């Protein structure tokens, strides 16, 4: 039986790569997609998400709009990374489909409650929607198998020297999600920057996809091609790696570690503080004590294996 999943996205070029994988892979049953402001303003995120699902032939998947801005921070975007339209400025034909009338938290609530078996929630964006979902409808935990979060890092930042974009965009939401997941006994895998950049696809592979008959393959190739031009060749499949982690967890090395989200700090706000200490002496003298929140932090990945999984699913020869 295909594994039921829901995605929370801020589509975005790499969210699009993830959506194509989740929509096309036969071992996944993509039940719904919720949108949040992040890489681009919410209206563009919704339009981009509907467009990508249309390219994948999946107009059956409901899409809902969630929060346009973080819980406390002002809305910011990353169009310097993803292009003015958030989808690589490809002039790809836009879907005319309307989003689901329900707010994202209600669509997620309904879909998770009605799912035939526990659902894997894959978050690829700032965690505003998910914080609101878990605090408003904690009963959905009974319908969730686990959560895979693309966010944070043990060692590096990208939005700032110390924070990863999805967590930096809404640190309070990230802290709430990790706290609520621990409260609700939900397993969390943190697919962060320590692995995010390792699964890569070359410009030549992208060009072959872009020349394909299949619309989803063409879009996939153009998305990677955009990244190759903007950031260099090869380009990461980004968020799609978090979906690969659902399909092929064996290729990911994780360690269950205490994590806190820095909410203060002049230069460290939004950092995921991953505690990798092992000597009890250090811990016993630490005034902060050990974080009660532990997550499975991805520390290494077989990048070529995830890149191949994505390429094969896109139909690369
Ligand atoms: O830091 C990378 C993450 O931020 C990815 O999810 C990307 O799409 C942006 O949302
Ligand atoms: Ca994203």
């Amino acid at each position: 039986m295909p594994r039921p999943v829901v995605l929370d996205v801020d589509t975005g070029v790499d969210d699009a790569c993830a959506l194509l994988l989740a929509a096309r892979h036969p071992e996944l049953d993509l039940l719904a997609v919720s949108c949040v402001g992040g890489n681009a303003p919410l209206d563009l995120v919704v339009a981009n998400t509907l467009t990508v699902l249309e390219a994948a032939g999946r107009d059956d998947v409901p899409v809902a709009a969630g929060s346009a801005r973080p819980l406390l921070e002002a809305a910011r975007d990353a169009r310097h990374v993803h292009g003015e339209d958030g989808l690589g400025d490809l002039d790809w034909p836009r879907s005319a489909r309307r989003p689901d009338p329900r707010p994202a938290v209600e669509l997620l609530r309904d879909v998770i409650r009605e799912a035939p078996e526990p659902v894997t929630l894959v978050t690829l964006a700032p965690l505003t929607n998910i914080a609101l979902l878990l605090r408003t409808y904690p009963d959905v935990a009974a319908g969730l198998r686990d959560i895979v979060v693309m966010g944070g890092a043990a060692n590096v930042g990208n939005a700032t020297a110390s924070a990863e974009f999805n967590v930096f965009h809404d640190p309070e939401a990230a802290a709430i999600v990790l706290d609520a997941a621990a409260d609700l006994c939900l397993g969390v895998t943190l697919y962060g920057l320590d692995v995010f950049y390792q699964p890569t696809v070359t410009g030549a592979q992208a060009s072959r996809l872009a020349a394909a008959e299949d619309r989803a393959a063409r879009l996939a190739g153009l998305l990677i091609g955009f990244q190759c031009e903007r950031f260099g060749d090869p380009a990461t499949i980004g968020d799609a790696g978090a979906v690969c982690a659902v399909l092929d967890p064996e290729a990911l090395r994780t360690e269950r570690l205490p994590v806190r989200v820095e909410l203060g700090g002049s230069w460290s706000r939004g950092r995921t503080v991953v505690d990798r200490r092992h000597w009890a002496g250090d811990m016993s003298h630490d005034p902060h004590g050990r974080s009660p929140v532990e997550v499975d932090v991805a520390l290494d990945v077989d990048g070529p294996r995830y890149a191949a999984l994505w390429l094969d699913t896109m139909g690369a020869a």
Side-chain angles (χ1 to χ4, degrees):
M1 285 290 285
R3 184 161 159 184
V5 295
V6 294
L7 267 56
D8 188 70
V9 298
D10 61 336
T11 312
V13 170
D14 62 321
D15 302 72
C17 293
L19 281 165
L20 290 171
L21 177 60
R24 296 288 292 262
H25 199 287
E27 291 174 25
L28 296 178
D29 179 10
L30 181 58
L31 298 178
V33 182
S34 50
C35 299
V36 66
N39 285 324
L42 180 61
D43 59 337
L44 277 181
V45 170
V46 173
N48 292 342
T49 302
L50 291 164
T51 294
V52 173
L53 288 171
E54 181 185 73
R58 296 302 308 275
D59 281 349
D60 60 299
V61 177
V63 174
S67 191
R69 55 155 293 180
L71 297 177
L72 280 181
E73 287 284 352
R76 287 182 287 237
D77 65 49
R79 283 185 280 187
H80 62 292
V81 173
H82 297 268
E84 279 311 299
D85 70 357
L87 203 58
D89 297 327
L90 303 175
D91 290 330
W92 189 269
R94 315 301 279 173
S95 168
R97 180 159 71 110
R98 302 291 307 149
D100 190 286
R102 287 167 286 184
V105 290
E106 290 181 16
L107 174 65
L108 291 175
R109 173 200 64 191
D110 295 346
V111 164
I112 292 166
R113 281 178 178 170
E114 292 156 16
E117 61 178 90
V119 175
T120 292
L121 168 60
V122 184
T123 77
L124 306 173
L127 288 156
T128 318
N129 289 342
I130 311 308
L132 294 169
L133 171 73
L134 294 181
R135 288 297 197 223
T136 311
Y137 304 108
D139 69 287
V140 300
L144 288 174
R145 172 172 168 163
D146 57 356
I147 305 177
V148 177
V149 173
M150 191 283 120
N155 299 308
V156 291
N158 57 2
T160 69
S162 60
E164 178 278 326
F165 177 84
N166 287 335
V167 177
F168 180 69
H169 195 85
D170 195 341
E172 282 71 26
I176 289 169
V177 167
L178 296 185
D179 180 76
D183 267 354
L184 298 167
C185 301
L186 283 172
V188 174
T189 298
L190 202 67
Y191 186 88
L193 297 183
D194 310 285
V195 293
F196 178 84
Y197 295 109
Q198 292 184 47
T200 59
V201 169
T202 67
Q205 290 168 319
S207 299
R208 283 196 290 277
L209 277 176
E213 281 294 307
D214 177 75
R215 294 184 73 217
R218 279 210 313 280
L219 178 57
L222 293 171
L223 291 164
I224 297 291
F226 167 83
Q227 291 193 95
C228 286
E229 276 170 37
R230 187 159 287 205
F231 307 114
D233 183 349
T236 176
I237 63 172
D239 285 336
V243 177
C244 291
V246 177
L247 288 162
D248 184 10
E250 299 305 310
L252 203 62
R253 182 170 70 80
T254 63
E255 204 175 321
R256 182 152 300 179
L257 296 168
V259 177
R260 286 188 172 101
V261 177
E262 176 60 79
L263 299 178
S266 303
W267 316 119
S268 57
R269 175 165 161 78
R271 178 176 184 79
T272 45
V273 181
V274 176
D275 191 343
R276 300 183 69 178
R277 293 173 298 175
H278 293 295
W279 181 52
D282 278 337
M283 312 288 268
S284 61
H285 286 74
D286 179 343
H288 298 153
R290 182 187 178 90
S291 167
V293 173
E294 293 194 346
V295 301
D296 294 324
V297 180
L299 298 172
D300 201 2
V301 64
D302 182 338
R305 189 157 138 178
Y306 278 9
L309 172 54
W310 185 80
L311 279 166
D312 292 348
T313 309
M314 293 307 108

